[in-house]
Amino acid sequence: MKKFSVVIAGGGSTFTPGIVMMMLDNLDRFPIKKLKLYDNDGDRQGILGEALEILLKEQAPEIEFSYTTDPETAFSDVDFCMAHIRVGKYAMREKDEKVPLRHGVFGQETCGPGGIAYGMRSITGMLEIIDYMEKYSPDCWMLNYSNPAAIVAEACRVMRPESKVLNICDMPVGTLRRMSQIIGKAPEELEVRYFGLNHFGWWTSVKDTEGHEYIDQIRNYVSEHGYLTQIEVDTQHTDPSWQETHKKAKDILAVTPDYLPNTYLKYYLYPDYVFEHMKDHPEFTRANEVMQGREKTVFDHAQQIIAKGTAEGIAFDIDAHATFIVDLARAIAFNTHERMVMIVENNGAIANFPDDAMVEVPCIVGTDGPEALTQGKIPAFQQAMMVQQVTVEKLVVEAYVENSYQKMWQALTLSKTVPSAQVAKELLDDLIIENAGTWPELH
Ligand code: NAD
Ligand code: G6P
Ligand code: MN
């Protein structure tokens, strides 16, 4: 079997060790010749790089491993770039979550004003790594899960339409794992129909390979417990804030009981509830929970490996639900025609939705990339919500391209999470100050 060369962009990410462990677990399905880490923060990446170098020497010495901050070294001679950068890192995520609170609006990583602010930063970093990839390895595919994926995907559609960038999110596959537990079936046995935008969608069907429909059974469960399951499907989503989110799916379902909702709809359907919840502890948001939790654990483990000079007895968790990244790479590499929910240009997949919207739908993925499966017409309620949200995402990208203050103000005003044009303007002026130097200048 051919062996592949992979670069992980955002090598200093809290998810890097879990994804490397997951790739080691899947070497029989996706053999790796060379693995490189790339980050523009050498100090942060250096800790994970040094630890993974020790670990790989012990567990997979045949893989050529290196880590670098030099784009040419990183992006030369690679087949796949797995990208998970966070422009502005945790310091800026914290601001995305906290600044809106001053204006009576919740703050969140990818939704509402937080996601809009993050989007304006992320586009620059994404264009930078796409350009490096195309310069040094023109045939390389980027499997991108850097957030906010909806805005990043729209920016790619507008500014890099020919680039081989696939935008994906782990939420559809992560929630499917929860559903599979609810009904006692393996996730690989299930096939879904789904429509929406990233972090903004609904399942319309969950069937097994024999065609048995489980949507009623899952609905009954979710209407009582949300997506809270007995056994946890991963470590990330077990933190208290995620448990709360999974529970809240019960109330999202109540609004549209025909279909099973993505948990992120809570931010659009219950923004007042989220704000009330956050304002009781404005100094401790999800960014703080992650910094004290996942980030600390991952970097502590890396430091221990470095100090001992061995990874024996010190385990990084395998990011098991990230196997969809290997499934995607395999689909491209071996033309497997894997069915996966991805973020692609609509072009009729959702019949009553604009062609040029980036939507999240099941696709068949092969050597030439994803082909969307048609999902038919969607109901007026979902369609209206999606038109509003996709217009926000498009306005952010237009604001970026045109350096337009006006469009950014419109984007914030149109977001279902912001109560008025006045609040949107005050928020925007605050975000401009807080994001100085990381956003394009708006005028
Ligand atoms: P993190 O801050 O720990 O890691 C991100 C890394 O990216 C940092 O080391 C940072 O230095 C680096 N970086 C920033 N800008 C860069 C640039 N221009 N070039 C190269 N490197 C750069 O963040 P994290 O919590 O591990 O998350 C990483 C990313 O993955 C985030 O964007 C997060 O939202 C995303 N994510 C997405 C999904 C999904 O479903 N799509 C799931 C999980 C995480
Ligand atoms: C899910 C989403 C990602 C998001 C992540 C945040 O996995 O699909 O898009 O980045 O949650 O998780 P965190 O643990 O960093 O809050
Ligand atoms: Mn996601």
mmCIF file of all heavy atoms in Angstrom, residues 14-15 86 90 93 97 108-110 118 145 147 149 168-172 198-199 236-237 239 241-242 264 286-287 289-290 294 321, ligand 2:
data_model
loop_
_atom_site.group_PDB
_atom_site.id
_atom_site.type_symbol
_atom_site.label_atom_id
_atom_site.label_comp_id
_atom_site.label_asym_id
_atom_site.label_seq_id
_atom_site.Cartn_x
_atom_site.Cartn_y
_atom_site.Cartn_z
ATOM 1 N N THR A 14 -3.984 21.637 21.009
ATOM 2 C CA THR A 14 -4.325 20.665 22.058
ATOM 3 C C THR A 14 -4.811 19.352 21.452
ATOM 4 O O THR A 14 -4.808 18.332 22.121
ATOM 5 C CB THR A 14 -5.460 21.205 22.949
ATOM 6 O OG1 THR A 14 -6.602 21.483 22.130
ATOM 7 C CG2 THR A 14 -5.042 22.475 23.675
ATOM 8 N N PHE A 15 -5.249 19.390 20.200
ATOM 9 C CA PHE A 15 -5.756 18.177 19.559
ATOM 10 C C PHE A 15 -4.648 17.388 18.843
ATOM 11 O O PHE A 15 -4.879 16.255 18.421
ATOM 12 C CB PHE A 15 -6.869 18.516 18.552
ATOM 13 C CG PHE A 15 -8.127 19.037 19.208
ATOM 14 C CD1 PHE A 15 -8.448 20.390 19.171
ATOM 15 C CD2 PHE A 15 -8.980 18.183 19.896
ATOM 16 C CE1 PHE A 15 -9.604 20.880 19.786
ATOM 17 C CE2 PHE A 15 -10.133 18.653 20.527
ATOM 18 C CZ PHE A 15 -10.444 20.009 20.464
ATOM 19 N N ARG A 86 -5.632 27.915 15.323
ATOM 20 C CA ARG A 86 -6.512 28.832 16.054
ATOM 21 C C ARG A 86 -5.819 30.185 16.056
ATOM 22 O O ARG A 86 -4.915 30.434 16.867
ATOM 23 C CB ARG A 86 -6.738 28.354 17.496
ATOM 24 C CG ARG A 86 -7.709 29.239 18.288
ATOM 25 C CD ARG A 86 -7.820 28.824 19.756
ATOM 26 N NE ARG A 86 -8.456 27.547 20.005
ATOM 27 C CZ ARG A 86 -9.758 27.298 19.865
ATOM 28 N NH1 ARG A 86 -10.578 28.261 19.466
ATOM 29 N NH2 ARG A 86 -10.248 26.110 20.125
ATOM 30 N N TYR A 90 -5.694 30.833 22.588
ATOM 31 C CA TYR A 90 -6.702 30.875 23.654
ATOM 32 C C TYR A 90 -6.937 32.268 24.220
ATOM 33 O O TYR A 90 -8.036 32.582 24.702
ATOM 34 C CB TYR A 90 -6.389 29.832 24.750
ATOM 35 C CG TYR A 90 -7.042 28.531 24.365
ATOM 36 C CD1 TYR A 90 -6.364 27.576 23.618
ATOM 37 C CD2 TYR A 90 -8.388 28.329 24.623
ATOM 38 C CE1 TYR A 90 -6.998 26.435 23.183
ATOM 39 C CE2 TYR A 90 -9.040 27.191 24.197
ATOM 40 C CZ TYR A 90 -8.348 26.249 23.479
ATOM 41 O OH TYR A 90 -8.990 25.127 23.026
ATOM 42 N N ARG A 93 -9.625 33.574 22.074
ATOM 43 C CA ARG A 93 -10.895 32.847 22.281
ATOM 44 C C ARG A 93 -11.570 33.384 23.554
ATOM 45 O O ARG A 93 -12.788 33.578 23.587
ATOM 46 C CB ARG A 93 -10.651 31.331 22.424
ATOM 47 C CG ARG A 93 -11.942 30.570 22.722
ATOM 48 C CD ARG A 93 -11.763 29.070 22.777
ATOM 49 N NE ARG A 93 -13.039 28.414 23.045
ATOM 50 C CZ ARG A 93 -13.224 27.101 23.036
ATOM 51 N NH1 ARG A 93 -12.217 26.297 22.769
ATOM 52 N NH2 ARG A 93 -14.414 26.588 23.294
ATOM 53 N N GLU A 97 -15.296 35.159 23.863
ATOM 54 C CA GLU A 97 -16.350 34.699 24.771
ATOM 55 C C GLU A 97 -16.746 35.766 25.790
ATOM 56 O O GLU A 97 -17.883 35.776 26.265
ATOM 57 C CB GLU A 97 -15.875 33.425 25.494
ATOM 58 C CG GLU A 97 -15.726 32.239 24.546
ATOM 59 C CD GLU A 97 -15.058 31.023 25.177
ATOM 60 O OE1 GLU A 97 -14.514 31.136 26.298
ATOM 61 O OE2 GLU A 97 -15.045 29.959 24.530
ATOM 62 N N GLN A 108 -19.283 33.063 22.341
ATOM 63 C CA GLN A 108 -19.037 31.646 22.052
ATOM 64 C C GLN A 108 -17.981 31.525 20.966
ATOM 65 O O GLN A 108 -17.841 32.421 20.136
ATOM 66 C CB GLN A 108 -20.359 30.970 21.625
ATOM 67 C CG GLN A 108 -20.447 29.485 21.928
ATOM 68 C CD GLN A 108 -19.811 28.625 20.847
ATOM 69 O OE1 GLN A 108 -19.756 29.015 19.680
ATOM 70 N NE2 GLN A 108 -19.321 27.457 21.227
ATOM 71 N N GLU A 109 -17.272 30.390 20.976
ATOM 72 C CA GLU A 109 -16.169 30.184 20.040
ATOM 73 C C GLU A 109 -16.556 30.400 18.576
ATOM 74 O O GLU A 109 -15.867 31.112 17.850
ATOM 75 C CB GLU A 109 -15.625 28.759 20.218
ATOM 76 C CG GLU A 109 -14.445 28.428 19.319
ATOM 77 C CD GLU A 109 -14.135 26.926 19.270
ATOM 78 O OE1 GLU A 109 -15.062 26.122 19.461
ATOM 79 O OE2 GLU A 109 -12.970 26.593 19.023
ATOM 80 N N THR A 110 -17.647 29.766 18.124
ATOM 81 C CA THR A 110 -17.973 29.810 16.684
ATOM 82 C C THR A 110 -19.314 30.453 16.361
ATOM 83 O O THR A 110 -19.611 30.684 15.192
ATOM 84 C CB THR A 110 -17.994 28.381 16.087
ATOM 85 O OG1 THR A 110 -19.026 27.634 16.738
ATOM 86 C CG2 THR A 110 -16.669 27.679 16.249
ATOM 87 N N TYR A 118 -13.805 35.749 15.545
ATOM 88 C CA TYR A 118 -12.826 34.686 15.257
ATOM 89 C C TYR A 118 -12.703 34.500 13.740
ATOM 90 O O TYR A 118 -11.602 34.343 13.200
ATOM 91 C CB TYR A 118 -13.292 33.411 15.967
ATOM 92 C CG TYR A 118 -12.392 32.206 15.897
ATOM 93 C CD1 TYR A 118 -11.050 32.288 15.522
ATOM 94 C CD2 TYR A 118 -12.893 30.946 16.255
ATOM 95 C CE1 TYR A 118 -10.245 31.154 15.493
ATOM 96 C CE2 TYR A 118 -12.098 29.812 16.230
ATOM 97 C CZ TYR A 118 -10.773 29.915 15.838
ATOM 98 O OH TYR A 118 -9.994 28.783 15.809
ATOM 99 N N TYR A 145 -10.177 21.564 9.628
ATOM 100 C CA TYR A 145 -11.208 21.681 10.653
ATOM 101 C C TYR A 145 -10.965 22.899 11.538
ATOM 102 O O TYR A 145 -11.507 22.991 12.636
ATOM 103 C CB TYR A 145 -11.409 20.389 11.450
ATOM 104 C CG TYR A 145 -10.175 19.545 11.646
ATOM 105 C CD1 TYR A 145 -9.526 19.511 12.863
ATOM 106 C CD2 TYR A 145 -9.664 18.780 10.606
ATOM 107 C CE1 TYR A 145 -8.382 18.737 13.037
ATOM 108 C CE2 TYR A 145 -8.528 18.015 10.779
ATOM 109 C CZ TYR A 145 -7.895 17.996 11.982
ATOM 110 O OH TYR A 145 -6.760 17.248 12.152
ATOM 111 N N ASN A 147 -11.612 26.445 12.886
ATOM 112 C CA ASN A 147 -12.877 27.172 13.017
ATOM 113 C C ASN A 147 -12.697 28.663 12.778
ATOM 114 O O ASN A 147 -11.566 29.133 12.696
ATOM 115 C CB ASN A 147 -13.432 26.935 14.428
ATOM 116 C CG ASN A 147 -14.378 25.755 14.453
ATOM 117 O OD1 ASN A 147 -15.184 25.584 13.548
ATOM 118 N ND2 ASN A 147 -14.283 24.947 15.496
ATOM 119 N N ALA A 149 -15.635 27.112 11.056
ATOM 120 C CA ALA A 149 -15.594 26.395 9.779
ATOM 121 C C ALA A 149 -16.547 26.987 8.736
ATOM 122 O O ALA A 149 -16.241 26.998 7.543
ATOM 123 C CB ALA A 149 -15.893 24.924 10.007
ATOM 124 N N ILE A 168 -14.425 20.350 7.245
ATOM 125 C CA ILE A 168 -15.201 19.348 7.985
ATOM 126 C C ILE A 168 -15.334 19.719 9.457
ATOM 127 O O ILE A 168 -14.546 20.485 9.991
ATOM 128 C CB ILE A 168 -14.546 17.942 7.919
ATOM 129 C CG1 ILE A 168 -13.038 18.063 8.164
ATOM 130 C CG2 ILE A 168 -14.863 17.244 6.629
ATOM 131 C CD1 ILE A 168 -12.364 16.733 8.332
ATOM 132 N N CYS A 169 -16.335 19.131 10.081
ATOM 133 C CA CYS A 169 -16.598 19.364 11.496
ATOM 134 C C CYS A 169 -16.834 18.014 12.157
ATOM 135 O O CYS A 169 -17.397 17.109 11.545
ATOM 136 C CB CYS A 169 -17.843 20.236 11.631
ATOM 137 S SG CYS A 169 -18.477 20.373 13.307
ATOM 138 N N ASP A 170 -16.434 17.918 13.424
ATOM 139 C CA ASP A 170 -16.612 16.637 14.118
ATOM 140 C C ASP A 170 -17.968 16.506 14.816
ATOM 141 O O ASP A 170 -18.271 15.494 15.410
ATOM 142 C CB ASP A 170 -15.485 16.423 15.138
ATOM 143 C CG ASP A 170 -15.531 17.431 16.273
ATOM 144 O OD1 ASP A 170 -16.427 18.297 16.294
ATOM 145 O OD2 ASP A 170 -14.662 17.351 17.155
ATOM 146 N N MET A 171 -18.775 17.568 14.759
ATOM 147 C CA MET A 171 -20.030 17.531 15.521
ATOM 148 C C MET A 171 -21.042 16.524 14.933
ATOM 149 O O MET A 171 -21.635 15.755 15.689
ATOM 150 C CB MET A 171 -20.643 18.939 15.558
ATOM 151 C CG MET A 171 -21.384 19.248 16.821
ATOM 152 S SD MET A 171 -20.327 19.037 18.259
ATOM 153 C CE MET A 171 -21.528 18.480 19.416
ATOM 154 N N PRO A 172 -21.256 16.510 13.594
ATOM 155 C CA PRO A 172 -22.183 15.508 13.064
ATOM 156 C C PRO A 172 -21.756 14.082 13.405
ATOM 157 O O PRO A 172 -22.573 13.265 13.832
ATOM 158 C CB PRO A 172 -22.146 15.759 11.550
ATOM 159 C CG PRO A 172 -21.824 17.214 11.435
ATOM 160 C CD PRO A 172 -20.845 17.486 12.556
ATOM 161 N N ASN A 198 -22.736 24.749 8.864
ATOM 162 C CA ASN A 198 -21.900 24.232 9.936
ATOM 163 C C ASN A 198 -22.380 24.749 11.295
ATOM 164 O O ASN A 198 -22.712 25.927 11.437
ATOM 165 C CB ASN A 198 -20.435 24.628 9.720
ATOM 166 C CG ASN A 198 -19.555 24.124 10.863
ATOM 167 O OD1 ASN A 198 -18.884 24.909 11.531
ATOM 168 N ND2 ASN A 198 -19.564 22.835 11.105
ATOM 169 N N HIS A 199 -22.442 23.864 12.274
ATOM 170 C CA HIS A 199 -22.950 24.175 13.621
ATOM 171 C C HIS A 199 -24.367 24.743 13.544
ATOM 172 O O HIS A 199 -24.731 25.653 14.310
ATOM 173 C CB HIS A 199 -22.001 25.158 14.364
ATOM 174 C CG HIS A 199 -20.693 24.525 14.746
ATOM 175 N ND1 HIS A 199 -19.713 25.192 15.442
ATOM 176 C CD2 HIS A 199 -20.204 23.273 14.532
ATOM 177 C CE1 HIS A 199 -18.680 24.385 15.643
ATOM 178 N NE2 HIS A 199 -18.952 23.224 15.089
ATOM 179 N N GLN A 236 -13.296 14.916 25.457
ATOM 180 C CA GLN A 236 -13.533 16.364 25.317
ATOM 181 C C GLN A 236 -14.939 16.769 25.755
ATOM 182 O O GLN A 236 -15.122 17.728 26.497
ATOM 183 C CB GLN A 236 -13.326 16.778 23.855
ATOM 184 C CG GLN A 236 -13.684 18.224 23.559
ATOM 185 C CD GLN A 236 -13.857 18.466 22.055
ATOM 186 O OE1 GLN A 236 -13.782 17.548 21.265
ATOM 187 N NE2 GLN A 236 -14.092 19.705 21.686
ATOM 188 N N HIS A 237 -15.923 16.004 25.286
ATOM 189 C CA HIS A 237 -17.295 16.449 25.484
ATOM 190 C C HIS A 237 -17.912 15.982 26.812
ATOM 191 O O HIS A 237 -19.119 15.937 26.955
ATOM 192 C CB HIS A 237 -18.156 16.041 24.272
ATOM 193 C CG HIS A 237 -17.685 16.693 22.993
ATOM 194 N ND1 HIS A 237 -17.053 16.000 22.001
ATOM 195 C CD2 HIS A 237 -17.717 17.986 22.579
ATOM 196 C CE1 HIS A 237 -16.728 16.827 21.010
ATOM 197 N NE2 HIS A 237 -17.114 18.039 21.343
ATOM 198 N N ASP A 239 -16.827 17.448 29.761
ATOM 199 C CA ASP A 239 -16.753 18.583 30.689
ATOM 200 C C ASP A 239 -18.163 19.084 31.002
ATOM 201 O O ASP A 239 -19.067 18.959 30.173
ATOM 202 C CB ASP A 239 -15.941 19.725 30.063
ATOM 203 C CG ASP A 239 -14.446 19.435 30.088
ATOM 204 O OD1 ASP A 239 -14.031 18.535 30.828
ATOM 205 O OD2 ASP A 239 -13.702 20.113 29.353
ATOM 206 N N SER A 241 -19.673 21.921 30.863
ATOM 207 C CA SER A 241 -20.355 22.800 29.908
ATOM 208 C C SER A 241 -20.884 22.000 28.709
ATOM 209 O O SER A 241 -21.948 22.292 28.168
ATOM 210 C CB SER A 241 -19.422 23.913 29.431
ATOM 211 O OG SER A 241 -18.341 23.362 28.737
ATOM 212 N N TRP A 242 -20.144 20.974 28.310
ATOM 213 C CA TRP A 242 -20.620 20.147 27.196
ATOM 214 C C TRP A 242 -21.797 19.269 27.610
ATOM 215 O O TRP A 242 -22.724 19.034 26.841
ATOM 216 C CB TRP A 242 -19.484 19.279 26.623
ATOM 217 C CG TRP A 242 -18.759 19.964 25.515
ATOM 218 C CD1 TRP A 242 -17.482 20.452 25.529
ATOM 219 C CD2 TRP A 242 -19.287 20.277 24.209
ATOM 220 N NE1 TRP A 242 -17.189 21.042 24.322
ATOM 221 C CE2 TRP A 242 -18.258 20.944 23.499
ATOM 222 C CE3 TRP A 242 -20.502 20.047 23.579
ATOM 223 C CZ2 TRP A 242 -18.434 21.385 22.185
ATOM 224 C CZ3 TRP A 242 -20.673 20.500 22.264
ATOM 225 C CH2 TRP A 242 -19.645 21.156 21.596
ATOM 226 N N TYR A 264 -25.489 22.924 18.499
ATOM 227 C CA TYR A 264 -25.135 24.352 18.410
ATOM 228 C C TYR A 264 -26.345 25.253 18.162
ATOM 229 O O TYR A 264 -26.255 26.467 18.320
ATOM 230 C CB TYR A 264 -24.080 24.575 17.320
ATOM 231 C CG TYR A 264 -22.670 24.300 17.803
ATOM 232 C CD1 TYR A 264 -22.101 23.039 17.666
ATOM 233 C CD2 TYR A 264 -21.906 25.280 18.410
ATOM 234 C CE1 TYR A 264 -20.813 22.776 18.113
ATOM 235 C CE2 TYR A 264 -20.619 25.032 18.859
ATOM 236 C CZ TYR A 264 -20.085 23.786 18.706
ATOM 237 O OH TYR A 264 -18.810 23.531 19.160
ATOM 238 N N ARG A 286 -15.792 28.928 28.609
ATOM 239 C CA ARG A 286 -15.285 27.659 28.072
ATOM 240 C C ARG A 286 -13.762 27.730 27.844
ATOM 241 O O ARG A 286 -13.058 26.769 28.091
ATOM 242 C CB ARG A 286 -16.019 27.315 26.770
ATOM 243 C CG ARG A 286 -15.517 26.051 26.060
ATOM 244 C CD ARG A 286 -15.719 24.791 26.887
ATOM 245 N NE ARG A 286 -15.122 23.619 26.248
ATOM 246 C CZ ARG A 286 -14.735 22.531 26.888
ATOM 247 N NH1 ARG A 286 -14.877 22.432 28.205
ATOM 248 N NH2 ARG A 286 -14.199 21.513 26.225
ATOM 249 N N ALA A 287 -13.259 28.886 27.396
ATOM 250 C CA ALA A 287 -11.810 29.006 27.178
ATOM 251 C C ALA A 287 -11.065 28.690 28.474
ATOM 252 O O ALA A 287 -10.054 27.972 28.461
ATOM 253 C CB ALA A 287 -11.460 30.411 26.692
ATOM 254 N N GLU A 289 -12.184 26.881 30.974
ATOM 255 C CA GLU A 289 -12.378 25.461 31.275
ATOM 256 C C GLU A 289 -11.378 24.610 30.469
ATOM 257 O O GLU A 289 -10.778 23.675 30.998
ATOM 258 C CB GLU A 289 -13.826 25.064 30.922
ATOM 259 C CG GLU A 289 -14.301 23.764 31.522
ATOM 260 C CD GLU A 289 -15.759 23.438 31.133
ATOM 261 O OE1 GLU A 289 -16.228 23.878 30.063
ATOM 262 O OE2 GLU A 289 -16.419 22.728 31.890
ATOM 263 N N VAL A 290 -11.176 24.977 29.197
ATOM 264 C CA VAL A 290 -10.235 24.227 28.358
ATOM 265 C C VAL A 290 -8.791 24.463 28.810
ATOM 266 O O VAL A 290 -7.999 23.521 28.904
ATOM 267 C CB VAL A 290 -10.382 24.605 26.861
ATOM 268 C CG1 VAL A 290 -9.309 23.915 26.025
ATOM 269 C CG2 VAL A 290 -11.763 24.223 26.335
ATOM 270 N N ARG A 294 -8.249 20.468 29.179
ATOM 271 C CA ARG A 294 -7.549 19.789 28.081
ATOM 272 C C ARG A 294 -6.146 20.344 27.827
ATOM 273 O O ARG A 294 -5.183 19.594 27.682
ATOM 274 C CB ARG A 294 -8.392 19.884 26.801
ATOM 275 C CG ARG A 294 -7.755 19.198 25.603
ATOM 276 C CD ARG A 294 -8.689 19.192 24.393
ATOM 277 N NE ARG A 294 -8.863 20.481 23.767
ATOM 278 C CZ ARG A 294 -10.032 21.108 23.645
ATOM 279 N NH1 ARG A 294 -11.135 20.573 24.124
ATOM 280 N NH2 ARG A 294 -10.118 22.282 23.045
ATOM 281 N N HIS A 321 -12.834 9.629 18.122
ATOM 282 C CA HIS A 321 -13.878 10.066 17.190
ATOM 283 C C HIS A 321 -13.302 10.891 16.042
ATOM 284 O O HIS A 321 -13.980 11.191 15.084
ATOM 285 C CB HIS A 321 -15.059 10.718 17.903
ATOM 286 C CG HIS A 321 -14.887 12.146 18.262
ATOM 287 N ND1 HIS A 321 -13.967 12.564 19.172
ATOM 288 C CD2 HIS A 321 -15.537 13.241 17.829
ATOM 289 C CE1 HIS A 321 -14.059 13.873 19.287
ATOM 290 N NE2 HIS A 321 -15.000 14.307 18.484
HETATM 291 C C1 G6P B 2 -16.898 20.607 18.799
HETATM 292 C C2 G6P B 2 -17.063 21.376 17.530
HETATM 293 C C3 G6P B 2 -15.808 22.121 17.193
HETATM 294 C C4 G6P B 2 -15.417 23.011 18.338
HETATM 295 C C5 G6P B 2 -15.246 22.193 19.570
HETATM 296 C C6 G6P B 2 -15.010 23.091 20.760
HETATM 297 O O1 G6P B 2 -16.054 19.516 18.651
HETATM 298 O O2 G6P B 2 -17.428 20.596 16.450
HETATM 299 O O3 G6P B 2 -16.026 22.863 16.039
HETATM 300 O O4 G6P B 2 -14.208 23.666 18.058
HETATM 301 O O5 G6P B 2 -16.399 21.440 19.826
HETATM 302 O O6 G6P B 2 -14.588 22.301 21.775
HETATM 303 P P1 G6P B 2 -13.861 22.866 23.050
HETATM 304 O O7 G6P B 2 -13.646 21.630 23.846
HETATM 305 O O8 G6P B 2 -12.568 23.495 22.565
HETATM 306 O O9 G6P B 2 -14.782 23.853 23.642
#
